[in-house]
Amino acid sequence: MSFRKVVRQSKFRHVFGQPVKTEQCYDDIRVSRVTWDSTFCAVNPSFVAIIVEASGGGAFLVLPLHKTGRIDKSYPTVCGHTGPVLDIEWCPHNDHIIASGSEDCTVMVWQVPEGGLVQPLTEPVVVLEGHSKRVGIIAWHPSTRNVLLSAGCDNVVLIWNVGTGEELYRLEGLHPDLIYSVNWSRDGSRFCTACKDKSVRVIDPRRGTVLLEKERAHEGARPMRAIFLADGKIFTTGFSRMSERQLALWDTENLEEPMGLQELDSSNGALLPFYDPDTNVVYVCGKGDSSIRYFEITEEPPYIHFLNTFTSKEPQRGMGWMPKRGLDVSKCEIARFYKLHERKCEPIIMTVPRKSDLFQDDLYPDTAGPDPALEAEEWVAGQTAGPLLVSLRQAYVPSKQRELKVNRHSLLHDGRSAATASTAPVPIAPSSRLSAPPALGTGTAAPAVGGRLDEVLQEMAALRTLVTEQGQRIARLEEQLSRLENGHV
């Protein structure tokens, strides 16, 4: 008996990554060297923002997506912080609003002008002061306007109403140590955190209580991260006791044991997970790695299915992730990363190969749109709603249809009008046999006026005459046949 290995079928099994051409990169950027496990990059359909080195404070670049090539050293930055910037994130409901957290213990919210910066931006729209130590994590609410979360090295999580500048909730005493990551659930009713005490917690911000806690989610002492999946499960990255990097999937109904646990390798860099709720694919990028691994999360064991790895030569300092509505659906692009090198930012496009030129419904289900489902006051009052979904079909641009190529010979001589052409047919002697049509251009009695068009019209008339004659002859033969069949001789 022969055993054949069964390969699990998945439409994402052949996803491949491809870096863009050199001229489409953002060059000569001095990426920040601060020692903090942040992505250092934030992207939306209009801009890419990158935390950069700055003397005497903190700054980050905001570039329109189309401004590729070499970035001049004098290009204006957002530079209102007095300490290094640690984290930045674009508002999901306004492509011109970005928030930043800094070592100066403040959170600042900025409005980027249409078309990008033409001079340094030093005045934020609002300054949020409430942390006593540096602010390392920024996270906008996924479905409510103007609600922003910040977490600092004072182990405090603050929820802000950016519209009024007020502090909505102050969550103290829930974390005994440094918070490594914070991630909202799909509907924004809860968030999960990964802490230095090796625990993963699920917290209700409006009640200020810990709903669930998993101690020692990963045994290693190095930083770990936790993110919510669309169905409420939690995906974590961390380190084992032997310092091997791990992935784990947890069911919030039972946190005793992970649903799935995989060990990757023994590198040192913290793993940054990026999750696509539309396709249930998780992309894992390691700080200092030169690869992006991607996994599909499914309902059947082992739940975490390895798909493939994109590998390049240069290690990554940070990584930006484009929202789904910023992708090119015409090219079956399902993800786009903005990889930070030491001196440049390189977009990497993830594509599912498809032969069809049509819009791919299975790759692009309705995704989170830019409109908020709730206002801050409604959310504070206890309402909960998921993101408002939009279809990406409107963003689909069909490929150019191949034109029908016809080799047209000029039917008119230069300077002659078709209106003057004669349309009189050439008389042809009746014939009882169907003869071959006259070849174009073989007429011997070409009229002097009308040129080539006259010849064609005459030959067409001749053909019509022949067809008429043959039709009459066929009719007579059919009549004779009918008479014979009926016994009439």
Side-chain angles (χ1 to χ4, degrees):
M1 181 184 290
S2 63
F3 292 93
R4 188 163 58 89
K5 184 179 179 181
V6 177
V7 178
R8 193 184 71 88
Q9 291 299 314
S10 171
K11 56 193 168 194
F12 305 110
R13 205 160 65 87
H14 300 292
V15 169
F16 69 96
Q18 188 168 5
V20 300
K21 297 177 181 178
T22 305
E23 59 267 21
Q24 294 175 294
C25 296
Y26 306 86
D27 288 314
D28 210 11
I29 295 171
R30 296 171 296 162
V31 179
S32 174
R33 295 177 176 275
V34 67
T35 55
W36 183 255
D37 286 325
S38 165
T39 59
F40 289 163
C41 181
V43 191
N44 69 18
S46 302
F47 300 101
V48 53
I50 303 166
I51 302 175
V52 294
E53 285 287 295
S55 56
F60 57 94
L61 273 173
V62 174
L63 303 170
L65 287 185
H66 59 80
K67 187 172 177 55
T68 54
R70 183 179 173 277
I71 307 301
D72 196 274
K73 286 185 173 63
S74 61
Y75 193 86
T77 59
V78 180
C79 50
H81 285 286
T82 57
V85 177
L86 300 180
D87 196 17
I88 51 177
E89 185 169 341
W90 289 102
C91 175
H93 308 123
N94 188 330
D95 287 346
H96 292 268
I97 299 294
I98 188 170
S100 58
S102 167
E103 282 192 5
D104 63 9
C105 308
T106 65
V107 176
M108 294 185 180
V109 180
W110 313 83
Q111 181 159 6
V112 179
E114 193 80 34
L117 301 179
V118 292
Q119 59 186 16
L121 186 58
T122 57
E123 292 297 324
V125 177
V126 61
V127 179
L128 306 174
E129 297 178 322
H131 289 282
S132 59
K133 292 186 179 179
R134 60 182 182 169
V135 182
I137 298 170
I138 298 291
W140 289 94
H141 194 285
S143 60
T144 302
R145 191 198 309 272
N146 290 341
V147 172
L148 178 67
L149 179 152
S150 64
C153 294
D154 51 6
N155 310 335
V156 175
V157 176
L158 295 179
I159 313 290
W160 305 90
N161 183 341
V162 173
T164 60
E166 66 177 316
E167 183 183 297
L168 296 176
Y169 302 104
R170 186 178 189 88
L171 308 178
E172 291 184 285
L174 303 183
H175 299 87
D177 213 328
L178 180 67
I179 303 168
Y180 285 139
S181 78
V182 178
N183 185 256
W184 289 98
S185 63
R186 179 82 161 153
D187 62 4
S189 61
R190 306 171 295 167
F191 61 82
C192 64
T193 64
C195 182
K196 194 174 181 180
D197 68 351
K198 303 180 185 178
S199 291
V200 172
R201 295 174 176 86
V202 177
I203 296 171
D204 183 336
R206 290 176 287 197
R207 295 180 182 174
T209 58
V210 177
L211 302 177
L212 299 167
E213 181 175 354
K214 173 58 185 175
E215 298 178 357
R216 309 186 75 83
H218 294 276
E219 297 283 350
R222 297 187 62 80
M224 64 180 188
R225 289 186 165 241
I227 58 173
F228 261 116
L229 304 187
D231 59 1
K233 295 183 178 68
I234 295 175
F235 182 88
T236 61
T237 63
F239 291 80
S240 70
R241 187 176 296 167
M242 303 301 292
S243 292
E244 292 179 311
R245 297 197 292 190
Q246 293 179 323
L247 312 174
L249 182 66
W250 305 87
D251 186 350
T252 50
E253 300 295 323
N254 180 13
L255 290 175
E256 289 300 316
E257 294 292 330
M259 295 174 63
L261 180 67
Q262 291 190 17
E263 293 189 346
L264 295 184
D265 52 35
S266 54
S267 296
N268 293 325
L271 292 170
L272 307 175
F274 297 91
Y275 173 61
D276 180 0
D278 303 330
T279 58
N280 249 14
V281 175
V282 176
Y283 302 83
V284 178
C285 314
K287 276 284 189 94
D289 289 7
S290 56
S291 64
I292 301 171
R293 297 177 176 92
Y294 31 107
F295 303 82
E296 186 175 6
I297 310 299
T298 65
E299 294 296 327
E300 67 271 5
Y303 305 109
I304 306 173
H305 301 272
F306 172 74
L307 292 173
N308 213 331
T309 303
F310 166 79
T311 306
S312 55
K313 295 179 181 178
E314 299 290 327
Q316 53 227 18
R317 296 280 300 280
M319 194 70 75
W321 161 261
M322 174 67 80
K324 210 62 173 291
R325 57 192 177 89
L327 303 181
D328 187 348
V329 299
S330 308
K331 297 179 180 177
C332 295
E333 181 185 1
I334 63 166
R336 190 189 308 161
F337 292 93
Y338 285 73
K339 174 180 174 179
L340 299 186
H341 300 247
E342 193 169 338
R343 299 284 293 186
K344 76 171 181 178
C345 174
E346 176 187 39
I348 296 168
I349 294 170
M350 297 287 181
T351 308
V352 176
R354 290 283 171 93
K355 292 181 180 179
S356 173
D357 287 340
L358 301 175
F359 178 75
Q360 305 295 315
D361 297 89
D362 60 327
L363 297 183
Y364 302 105
D366 290 355
T367 191
D371 295 323
L374 298 173
E375 297 295 330
E377 295 76 18
E378 295 173 319
W379 183 75
V380 171
Q383 294 188 40
T384 297
L388 296 179
L389 304 182
V390 296
S391 171
L392 295 178
R393 186 179 289 274
Q394 288 75 22
Y396 174 73
V397 180
S399 59
K400 290 183 179 178
Q401 299 294 328
R402 295 192 182 115
E403 294 181 0
L404 177 65
K405 293 185 178 178
V406 179
N407 188 12
R408 297 187 184 89
H409 293 291
S410 176
L411 298 181
L412 294 177
H413 289 303
D414 292 340
R416 295 190 180 180
S417 169
T420 63
S422 170
T423 57
V426 177
I428 295 181
S431 170
S432 62
R433 270 185 2 182
L434 182 61
S435 59
L440 294 183
T442 58
T444 55
V449 181
R452 185 76 178 123
L453 179 60
D454 244 358
E455 296 177 16
V456 174
L457 290 171
Q458 290 171 359
E459 290 164 1
M460 286 177 63
L463 283 173
R464 287 196 192 99
T465 303
L466 287 174
V467 170
T468 303
E469 291 175 357
Q470 297 304 321
Q472 293 171 351
R473 183 169 182 242
I474 290 170
R476 288 197 300 271
L477 290 172
E478 286 178 343
E479 185 181 351
Q480 292 178 13
L481 180 62
S482 177
R483 289 168 63 85
L484 287 171
E485 288 175 345
N486 293 330
H488 302 289
V489 179

